[in-house]
């Protein structure tokens, strides 16, 4: 059984090497009668200009046309990235609801490290020796013995999954709530998108489709970009 050391610390971490140019069906750039033009402020000091169909917003909180923001939250359907119907309650129990958040860039190695340490009960310093074992969906699972001293009250509340590219860089971080704590569990899925991060939130039923969601989330961002 191979022993490996890795800078991410959690009781269960899954890794998959993927290409960032997968062969998925092209995501439709959905149209609406009205678009909202926005400018996002990036942590680098640059800006990102977007044109967003108005149907993707919660109609109670539509931003002003031409406004400037630091983040952007949209409501989409996980199946095809079409807008969530306004007449349907925005809850994962009602269907394939997915939150789509554009947020400030953060180094993924640091985010994954802190998330995984918290779930495994490790402190923020020191190394952990992992044992690599086969996981579901052709993934690898890294497991570690419990820490000598638990340092996190968040231990064991979520499973943390990570995808890496062929160069070993982290491209996706997925944190899924474990059953039992709440009636409905969700997964937070962070996707690296250059100078900005995409954060999806969806029901665990869609976890098996994470690679499609990741690729389509990037295409959806390209749909919204304007020169």
């Amino acid at each position: 059984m191979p022993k490996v050391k890795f800078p991410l610390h959690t009781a269960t971490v899954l890794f998959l090497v993927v290409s960032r140019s997968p062969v998925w069906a092209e995501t439709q750039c959905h149209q609406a009668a009205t678009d909202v033009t926005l400018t996002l402020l990036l942590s680098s000091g640059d800006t990102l200009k977007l044109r967003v169909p108005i149907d993707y917003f919660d109609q109670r909180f539509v931003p002003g046309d031409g406004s400037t923001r630091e983040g952007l939250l949209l409501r989409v359907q996980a199946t095809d990235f079409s807008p969530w119907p306004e007449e349907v309650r925005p809850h994962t129990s009602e269907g394939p609801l997915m939150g789509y958040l554009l947020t400030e860039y953060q180094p993924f190695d640091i985010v994954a490290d802190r998330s995984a340490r918290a779930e495994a009960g490790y402190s923020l310093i020191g190394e952990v020796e992992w044992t690599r074992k086969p996981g579901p969906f052709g993934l690898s699972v890294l497991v570690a013995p419990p820490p000598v001293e638990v340092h996190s009250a968040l231990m064991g509340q979520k499973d943390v999954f990570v995808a890496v590219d062929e160069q070993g860089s982290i491209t996706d971080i997925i944190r899924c709530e474990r059953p039992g704590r709440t009636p409905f569990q969700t997964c937070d899925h962070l996707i690296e998108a250059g100078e900005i991060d995409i954060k999806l939130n969806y029901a665990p039923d869609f976890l098996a489709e994470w690679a499609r969601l990741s690729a389509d989330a990037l295409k959806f961002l390209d749909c919204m970009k304007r020169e």
Side-chain angles (χ1 to χ4, degrees), residues 26-101:
E26 290 295 323
T27 299
Q28 180 182 0
C29 294
H30 296 274
Q31 304 297 319
T34 304
D35 291 335
V36 178
T37 57
L38 300 167
T39 299
L40 292 189
L41 300 176
L42 306 179
S43 57
S44 64
D46 294 332
T47 60
L48 178 64
K49 296 184 181 300
L50 302 174
R51 180 180 291 111
V52 186
I54 197 170
D55 295 347
Y56 283 99
F57 295 100
D58 182 331
Q59 296 304 296
R60 299 171 298 172
F61 307 108
V62 177
D65 190 53
S67 60
T68 300
R69 307 169 63 87
E70 294 183 353
L72 179 65
L73 177 62
L74 306 175
R75 302 190 303 189
V76 308
Q77 299 189 56
T79 48
D80 62 357
F81 279 72
S82 60
W84 183 254
E86 185 64 25
E87 67 274 11
V88 180
R89 187 170 69 107
H91 194 280
T92 55
S93 64
E94 302 293 334
L97 173 67
M98 182 170 68
Y100 185 103
L101 176 67

Side-chain angles (χ1 to χ4, degrees), residues 65-218:
D65 190 53
S67 60
T68 300
R69 307 169 63 87
E70 294 183 353
L72 179 65
L73 177 62
L74 306 175
R75 302 190 303 189
V76 308
Q77 299 189 56
T79 48
D80 62 357
F81 279 72
S82 60
W84 183 254
E86 185 64 25
E87 67 274 11
V88 180
R89 187 170 69 107
H91 194 280
T92 55
S93 64
E94 302 293 334
L97 173 67
M98 182 170 68
Y100 185 103
L101 176 67
L102 295 178
T103 186
E104 182 180 5
Y105 164 79
Q106 299 181 72
F108 268 28
D109 55 344
I110 295 177
V111 175
D113 178 72
R114 291 180 177 176
S115 297
R117 285 174 182 259
E119 294 302 329
Y122 287 100
S123 69
L124 294 179
I125 59 175
E127 294 184 345
V128 176
E129 187 175 76
W130 300 101
T131 299
R132 183 179 297 158
K133 295 182 179 180
F137 309 114
L139 305 174
S140 296
V141 181
L142 297 182
V143 297
V148 176
E149 182 179 355
V150 174
H151 289 267
S152 174
L154 301 177
M155 180 180 177
Q157 295 186 13
K158 297 181 180 180
D159 290 315
V160 180
F161 310 96
V162 183
V164 299
D165 61 18
E166 295 178 350
Q167 289 71 46
S169 299
I170 299 172
T171 59
D172 300 71
I173 303 169
I174 305 174
R175 298 170 289 201
C176 293
E177 296 171 320
R178 293 181 178 176
R181 299 186 60 86
T182 59
F184 301 99
Q185 288 75 49
T186 60
C187 296
D188 287 334
H189 181 170
L190 287 169
I191 303 163
E192 193 277 325
E195 289 189 288
I196 200 167
D197 292 342
I198 302 170
K199 182 179 179 181
L200 306 179
N201 180 268
Y202 48 76
D205 292 347
F206 287 97
L207 179 60
E209 301 183 49
W210 73 265
R212 174 187 68 82
L213 294 173
S214 179
D216 285 352
L218 292 168

